[in-house]
């Protein structure tokens, strides 16, 4: 059965419904190559599912894509992670927040700015636009790379719990 959501998280109230629930997991799938938007959506719904902690419902999330699959393990402290994401989202509505899904994940994974730059810059050889080419990002951050200390710590703070739940190695906070 779908799971109704009504969570009070600090100043936020989150309501809605979780579908795609199976006896042992929340299942996300799409016949496309894995993108950060798929990972983030699955992660956020995983946090909601684990925050609700409803008896008889799964605590695991599986994401299946054309080229890769990820599994998020049951998680203690999901409510705190979800509230942290909501606080940063709220902050990002009033001022540009140096969090860029692909570049931030590259930093959190490898802990090098060079890894972030590979996602940020255009790859003209493969005709793959970088995150820095996004007009909305350019409007907020200009043409310079916004890879400062805040970018580094925010990348690890927001993505390390997700990576750990997926059994991946995350960089530690600098």
């Amino acid at each position: 059965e779908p799971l109704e959501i009504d969570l009070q998280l600090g100043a936020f109230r989150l309501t809605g419904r979780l579908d795609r629930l199976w006896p042992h997991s929340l299942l996300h799938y799409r016949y496309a190559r894995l993108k950060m938007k798929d990972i983030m959506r699955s992660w956020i719904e995983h946090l909601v599912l684990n925050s609700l902690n409803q008896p008889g419902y799964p605590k695991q999330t599986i994401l299946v894509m054309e080229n890769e699959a990820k599994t998020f393990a049951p998680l203690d402290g999901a409510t705190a992670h979800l509230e942290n994401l909501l606080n940063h989202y709220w902050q990002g509505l009033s001022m540009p927040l140096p969090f860029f899904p692909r570049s931030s994940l590259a930093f959190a994974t490898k802990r090098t700015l060079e890894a972030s730059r590979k996602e940020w810059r255009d790859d003209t050889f493969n005709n793959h636009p970088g995150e820095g080419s996004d007009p909305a990002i350019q409007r907020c951050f200009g043409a310079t790379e916004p890879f400062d200390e805040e970018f580094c710590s925010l990348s690890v703070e927001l993505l390390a719990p997700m990576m750990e739940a997926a059994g991946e190695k995350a960089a530690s906070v600098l």
Side-chain angles (χ1 to χ4, degrees):
E1 290 292 313
L3 185 57
E4 296 299 322
I5 302 163
D6 191 354
L7 283 172
Q8 189 67 44
L9 302 160
F12 303 98
R13 182 172 181 202
L14 190 61
T15 62
R17 168 187 245 180
L18 282 177
D19 296 337
R20 297 177 307 278
L21 291 162
W22 292 83
H24 300 290
S25 65
L26 169 62
L27 177 64
H28 284 266
Y29 58 91
R30 194 164 71 92
Y31 189 73
R33 297 191 63 76
L34 182 68
K35 292 184 174 64
M36 190 58 182
K37 69 179 182 177
D38 301 305
I39 299 170
M40 288 301 293
R41 178 184 178 156
S42 297
W43 173 240
I44 291 168
E45 289 190 12
H46 179 72
L47 290 175
V48 170
L49 180 65
N50 281 263
S51 293
L52 289 169
N53 197 22
Q54 283 293 112
Y57 282 88
K59 306 256 183 317
Q60 173 180 276
T61 300
I62 299 174
L63 170 64
V64 180
M65 302 297 291
E66 172 189 358
N67 61 325
E68 193 172 343
K70 288 192 178 292
T71 301
F72 296 118
L75 182 67
D76 291 328
T79 303
H81 294 307
L82 187 56
E83 189 172 353
N84 189 34
L85 279 175
L86 286 167
N87 284 323
H88 284 294
Y89 169 76
W90 188 255
Q91 180 186 357
L93 291 175
S94 61
M95 62 182 261
L97 196 63
F99 178 81
F100 316 97
R102 290 176 17 216
S103 300
S104 293
L105 181 62
F107 182 82
T109 302
K110 299 192 177 152
R111 200 171 40 164
T112 67
L113 291 179
E114 191 52 41
S116 296
R117 287 184 181 105
K118 285 181 182 177
E119 293 296 333
W120 185 260
R121 296 176 180 158
D122 293 337
D123 179 355
T124 53
F125 183 75
N126 292 311
N127 196 26
H128 182 70
E131 264 183 324
S133 295
D134 184 302
I137 291 175
Q138 286 182 354
R139 182 169 180 95
C140 291
F141 292 95
T144 61
E145 294 176 352
F147 301 145
D148 57 10
E149 191 173 315
E150 183 183 12
F151 164 80
C152 296
S153 64
L154 196 58
S155 297
V156 174
E157 176 188 346
L158 295 180
L159 297 177
M162 177 188 78
M163 295 169 64
E164 289 165 11
E168 299 169 359
K169 186 179 176 202
S172 59
V173 178
L174 297 177

